Amino acid sequence: MPISFDSEHRVFKLDTATSSYVFEIYEQNYLLHLYYGAKIPDSNLSAHRYKGWFGSHPPLNINIDDTDFSPDVSMFEYPCEGSGDFRETAFAIRNADGNNTTDLRYVSHKIYPGKPVIDGLPSLHVNSDSDADTLEILMRDAVTGVSAILYYTVFSGYGAMTRSVKIINESDKAVEIERVFSTCVDFNTHDYDMITLYGNWLRERNFERTSVKHIKQGIYSRRGLSSHAQNPFGAIVGKDTNEEYGSAYGFNLVYSGNFEFSCDSEPHGGIRVLMGINPDTFGWHLEPGDKFSSPEAVMVYSNEGLGGMSRTFHRLYTNHLIRGKWAHIKRPLLINNWEATGMDFTGDKLVTFAERAKELGIDMLVMDDGWFGKRDDDKSSLGDWQVNEEKLGGPLKDFIARINALGIKFGIWFEPEMISRDSNLYREHPDWCLHVPGREKSIARYQYVLDFSRKDVRDYIYSLMKDIIAENNIAYVKWDCNRSLSEVGSAILPPGRQKEVFHRFVLGTYEVMDRLTIDFPDLLIENCSSGGGRFDPGMLYFTPQIWCSDNTDPVDRIDIQFGTSLCYPASTVGAHVSASKRAGFGTKGNVALWGTFGYELDPNTFTPEDIDIIKDQVSEYHKYYDLIRNGDLYRLISPWESDRRAAWMMVSEDKNEALLTCVTMRKEWGEAFILKLRGLDPEKYYVDDTTGEVYSGALLMNAGLNLTDYPQNDGDSFKIYLRTL
Ligand code: GLA
């Protein structure tokens, strides 16, 4: 049984494929955490209960006759504010008396096959109840009557579990939720490093590893979006953990708004890891009878290093996060006009793109920003989702018919959550954007943010989108979002509920995305937020791919795509060949192949040599499609280990195929380049598809391949495809 309850010792044990997670019901119904780590057979871990050295006069519970127990040092499963635990806590309400002392204790539990959905929020799914088991723990605060249900789901066959919390106000008075983290894990030592993914526009998700210190450290977003600055991903790893060996705990929040991932040290030597909605910008008013659901946190444990952790996330997300028609079927190879034309295009010009695309074997043309209102630059028209027929040379339907007549599918760009200051919509409804009374609204890219916490605003925007998509032969939508949220207030909420707006905005966006996926199940949706500003599992639930970065330079993309790969599978990573100069078409193609693949440039500029290379790339796209999307990733040389070279491999699940890609960022003069491969079957023999050489998997992984003679000047790259005999 993946989830068991030892009623004698009152211990819960959750066994994933790689880990055990254990906690107990202690005296007075405190829920105490006991262990999370590599799988263990034991279930009675009472002797393992954490006993810290007490500082002077720790708070004690007068009803417990165990002087080793104090909330000051105990490891808690879901610690609450104000009851003797002085670390950062997972849960706090301000009750009707005005104080925020909160104390949840165990009431009951149930264990059942399957996994419940979370109302209004994206979460991982099961395809049948046999895919997972769930534990629900009911806790209650005796004084206020507020309850919490802790949800734990263990996915069978994965080293992964999920956690979330639902708060229910069972009292007869309203309360204010001040913090409600999705997960909390107390560790009894602090001998760990923390890994996070920091960045900015054009340089998203850089790997950063820091030592866990005796301080509170962590990452957050307060931008209203999960953000370029930090990804809602964090790992806690052993000091000696590397790509292949050692323990790695990966945490990822299925949420697209303000989050926090933190690690708080306590004076007795342990750490507390928290992940959830950022409490700094959050509050929620809960009337009697009301419920509030937290987002879901995904927790992966691997004792095969960072590589093992990443591969678990990838498979889990491929099978249990990404949904709909495009989860498992082949996606179209597309060309997008943005980097080639910006908003300076005409229908005729785009038809020439489609003509060239057809000659090259590309499946779809995406018309990016600039097709609506009076939008010839970024100063106007967001919100005025009416087709600019003058620009397209006629109605959208006729323009798409010209594209379709060439055998090319058609996709289109929207930025639904935004409104330009210069737009008819803003002139008609200036109160429809986020704002606070009496203050100037900050403007970014000449635009404001629509108040998507409001249903009337969402309904209006969605009805425009829906008409355009329903009335035209649109196969793909790029959903963009190009600014952070400031002056976050809503005209229709009372002052006491203004702290809810950040979260209501996220829920509103999810609601529109949900409608879009239900109304148009065949539509392929790509998410984008000035590149990868909202690259998170919340978005992946609705959109199976996300434009990874506006930076399409293949050398810069190495850092971005390696960082992204820590948590997210290649099938989700929007990557195109562009006109960027730092490397030739070959390397641009090799890097973009490790993603959704496509083109982002003017095909009318291609030379005959370019066309030959691109035709080869298109056939490689088809040849390696399954291997790259469904294979296991092995990062052989990561940019955080070397600024000279990068190398990665995709290996099919049956280990019969592998594709190695190497890119040189800076030439290594005069050194042999021997690379030991990973993930192969040592017993099998593999043939190098280009040279015809045959090697055993054992040789490739232990002696390695001598790659010294392969092209290795700055910006060069090469691939080696291996398959079993
Ligand atoms: C963002 C996106 C780009 C492009 C532009 C259009 O920057 O990341 O790919 O769609 O918006 O304005």
Side-chain angles (χ1 to χ4, degrees):
M1 278 294 289
I3 302 181
S4 59
F5 178 60
D6 173 343
S7 52
E8 187 191 340
H9 303 100
R10 305 215 300 168
V11 168
F12 294 97
K13 184 154 185 268
L14 287 70
D15 285 319
T16 77
T18 57
S19 64
S20 297
Y21 184 101
V22 191
F23 58 99
E24 67 172 344
I25 310 166
Y26 182 62
E27 288 181 41
Q28 296 296 317
N29 291 328
Y30 283 105
L31 268 192
L32 299 186
H33 183 75
L34 292 170
Y35 174 75
Y36 181 32
K39 209 161 179 166
I40 52 171
D42 321 59
S43 65
N44 176 12
L45 270 75
S46 315
H48 192 70
R49 186 177 308 133
Y50 185 65
K51 292 185 181 126
W53 178 84
F54 291 168
S56 61
H57 313 305
L60 301 175
N61 183 319
I62 205 158
N63 300 310
I64 297 181
D65 194 21
D66 172 0
T67 48
D68 276 340
F69 173 82
S70 166
D72 197 352
V73 296
S74 293
M75 306 214 307
F76 281 113
E77 199 47 33
Y78 201 62
C80 301
E81 190 72 15
S83 302
D85 181 340
F86 303 106
R87 292 156 285 189
E88 180 159 10
T89 53
F91 182 57
I93 51 170
R94 188 158 296 277
N95 61 39
D97 295 333
N99 67 74
N100 73 351
T101 296
T102 315
D103 195 353
L104 293 170
R105 307 281 179 89
Y106 169 86
V107 177
S108 63
H109 73 270
K110 46 185 178 179
I111 298 171
Y112 53 89
K115 179 176 191 288
V117 296
I118 306 180
D119 291 340
L121 281 166
S123 58
L124 271 61
H125 64 266
V126 289
N127 301 308
S128 80
D129 279 354
S130 60
D131 283 353
D133 291 273
T134 295
L135 164 66
E136 276 185 26
I137 305 247
L138 176 64
M139 300 183 84
R140 187 167 294 126
D141 180 43
V143 173
T144 59
V146 169
S147 300
I149 302 174
L150 311 185
Y151 294 89
Y152 301 79
T153 296
V154 171
F155 281 84
S156 82
Y158 296 85
M161 55 189 272
T162 58
R163 281 185 66 175
S164 67
V165 182
K166 186 189 284 174
I167 308 301
I168 308 164
N169 185 358
E170 293 176 323
S171 75
D172 56 3
K173 294 185 185 123
V175 298
E176 312 296 326
I177 305 176
E178 296 193 326
R179 57 173 57 225
V180 52
F181 278 93
S182 301
T183 188
C184 170
V185 183
D186 282 355
F187 292 81
N188 58 10
T189 72
H190 73 278
D191 299 328
Y192 295 102
D193 287 344
M194 177 190 264
I195 293 172
T196 50
L197 299 171
Y198 75 96
N200 201 343
W201 181 53
L202 304 179
R203 56 182 189 91
E204 294 90 339
R205 288 173 296 287
N206 295 275
F207 179 96
E208 186 155 67
R209 183 168 183 160
T210 51
S211 182
V212 166
K213 307 270 194 209
H214 290 96
I215 52 174
K216 182 187 162 192
Q217 62 198 101
I219 55 165
Y220 62 87
S221 168
R222 300 160 64 106
R223 295 172 170 271
L225 317 172
S226 48
S227 91
H228 299 85
Q230 294 286 354
N231 193 261
F233 165 83
I236 300 293
V237 304
K239 290 279 177 206
D240 55 356
T241 296
N242 63 20
E243 188 60 32
E244 228 178 325
Y245 304 107
S247 60
Y249 301 82
F251 295 82
N252 195 204
L253 193 66
V254 188
Y255 191 58
S256 309
N258 293 346
F259 72 90
E260 177 183 315
F261 172 71
S262 64
C263 176
D264 195 12
S265 139
E266 48 106 279
H268 317 285
I271 55 168
R272 169 166 295 164
V273 175
L274 289 166
M275 182 172 251
I277 296 178
N278 187 339
D280 291 350
T281 51
F282 169 80
W284 201 268
H285 179 82
L286 210 60
E287 285 289 329
D290 278 2
K291 297 178 180 153
F292 178 88
S293 291
S294 83
E296 179 166 272
V298 183
M299 294 160 49
V300 163
Y301 173 81
S302 167
N303 53 12
E304 290 177 8
L306 298 179
M309 177 195 74
S310 299
R311 289 186 287 277
T312 303
F313 272 117
H314 296 175
R315 283 218 176 280
L316 185 68
Y317 285 180
T318 302
N319 296 323
H320 297 287
L321 174 63
I322 296 161
R323 306 172 306 152
K325 174 174 169 181
W326 297 103
H328 295 290
I329 66 164
K330 194 161 182 175
R331 304 197 199 142
L333 200 177
L334 63 89
I335 183 162
N336 176 306
N337 69 303
W338 175 249
E339 288 194 23
T341 66
M343 297 177 211
D344 183 17
F345 60 84
T346 60
D348 287 343
K349 172 109 186 167
L350 294 188
V351 169
T352 68
F353 277 43
E355 284 164 355
R356 297 293 86 72
K358 183 67 194 166
E359 288 157 18
L360 294 165
I362 294 169
D363 306 312
M364 181 187 285
L365 172 79
V366 175
M367 176 170 70
D368 210 282
D369 193 356
W371 55 267
F372 52 92
K374 293 183 281 134
R375 190 144 164 111
D376 291 323
D377 57 33
D378 58 8
K379 294 195 173 69
S380 83
S381 302
L382 294 172
D384 295 346
W385 298 108
Q386 285 89 27
V387 178
N388 182 342
E389 296 191 357
E390 206 179 310
K391 202 171 198 175
L392 296 189
L396 183 59
K397 200 188 280 298
D398 296 352
F399 167 63
I400 297 176
R402 293 171 71 192
I403 307 284
N404 289 162
L406 297 164
I408 297 286
K409 296 186 175 65
F410 181 77
I412 198 165
W413 179 96
F414 283 98
E415 195 175 355
E417 298 143 285
M418 298 293 157
I419 177 168
S420 299
R421 185 180 170 83
D422 178 8
S423 65
N424 294 333
L425 187 63
Y426 185 68
R427 283 181 281 276
E428 279 161 34
H429 296 287
D431 63 326
W432 273 17
C433 49
L434 295 174
H435 65 284
V436 293
R439 283 189 197 281
E440 200 62 63
K441 295 181 289 296
S442 307
I443 197 146
R445 208 191 188 204
Y446 310 99
Q447 65 200 54
Y448 299 130
V449 182
L450 279 169
D451 182 357
F452 259 39
S453 76
R454 288 175 61 160
K455 185 162 183 331
D456 55 346
V457 175
R458 299 198 301 269
D459 284 352
Y460 174 80
I461 293 293
Y462 184 63
S463 73
L464 296 182
M465 286 180 77
K466 186 175 175 181
D467 286 351
I468 290 171
I469 299 167
E471 286 163 15
N472 295 286
N473 193 18
I474 291 173
Y476 162 112
V477 161
K478 179 172 169 186
W479 178 307
D480 212 335
C481 173
N482 281 313
R483 67 159 287 184
S484 307
L485 282 52
S486 61
E487 293 84 24
V488 175
S490 174
I492 61 165
L493 285 176
R497 284 190 175 268
Q498 292 293 328
K499 262 205 139 178
E500 298 177 12
V501 178
F502 267 119
H503 183 58
R504 285 182 181 274
F505 176 87
V506 178
L507 294 178
T509 298
Y510 288 154
E511 193 250 359
V512 178
M513 288 188 162
D514 202 38
R515 282 201 246 173
L516 190 61
T517 56
I518 290 168
D519 290 343
F520 302 102
D522 291 339
L523 196 65
L524 173 60
I525 311 171
E526 176 154 341
N527 188 259
C528 175
S529 178
S530 298
R534 216 158 45 171
F535 206 120
D536 60 63
M539 284 294 142
L540 287 176
Y541 176 85
F542 299 102
T543 75
Q545 57 194 54
I546 301 179
W547 184 229
C548 183
S549 177
D550 278 346
N551 187 341
T552 48
D553 175 282
V555 176
D556 291 338
R557 273 285 182 136
I558 292 287
D559 293 274
I560 297 169
Q561 292 182 197
F562 265 81
T564 305
S565 79
L566 226 53
C567 189
Y568 307 103
S571 68
T572 66
V573 176
H576 294 168
V577 173
S578 75
S580 65
K581 296 276 184 306
R582 217 147 22 130
F585 264 112
T587 295
K588 293 184 217 179
N590 285 340
V591 175
L593 209 54
W594 186 22
T596 56
F597 198 75
Y599 291 88
E600 187 101 10
L601 70 187
D602 184 347
N604 296 298
T605 61
F606 294 161
T607 64
E609 295 77 48
D610 296 341
I611 288 173
D612 287 345
I613 298 176
I614 289 166
K615 282 188 171 162
D616 284 349
Q617 288 175 345
V618 169
S619 76
E620 286 182 337
Y621 166 80
H622 294 293
K623 178 173 175 185
Y624 301 130
Y625 188 91
D626 286 334
L627 177 56
I628 290 170
R629 272 138 203 95
N630 301 316
D632 281 318
L633 170 70
Y634 290 83
R635 287 176 293 253
L636 304 185
I637 309 174
S638 299
W640 50 85
E641 291 164 343
S642 161
D643 60 355
R644 291 177 175 272
R645 277 198 191 100
W648 65 98
M649 266 176 89
M650 300 301 306
V651 181
S652 63
E653 205 175 354
D654 61 11
K655 298 190 182 292
N656 285 338
E657 275 185 293
L659 181 68
L660 164 71
T661 309
C662 298
V663 179
T664 303
M665 284 90 84
R666 205 147 59 85
K667 185 179 170 72
E668 187 106 45
W669 288 95
E671 247 187 55
F673 180 22
I674 312 288
L675 189 62
K676 293 180 183 171
L677 308 193
R678 289 198 218 124
L680 302 173
D681 183 338
E683 309 279 325
K684 289 181 175 164
Y685 281 81
Y686 294 85
V687 59
D688 177 332
D689 205 37
T690 314
T691 63
E693 292 285 339
V694 175
Y695 314 92
S696 70
L699 177 139
L700 290 167
M701 293 193 290
N702 293 300
L705 271 179
N706 188 342
L707 302 171
T708 312
D709 290 338
Y710 281 78
Q712 277 166 84
N713 285 319
D714 295 4
D716 279 351
S717 67
F718 59 88
K719 295 192 293 298
I720 295 180
Y721 173 61
L722 300 159
R723 58 186 163 77
T724 46
L725 282 177

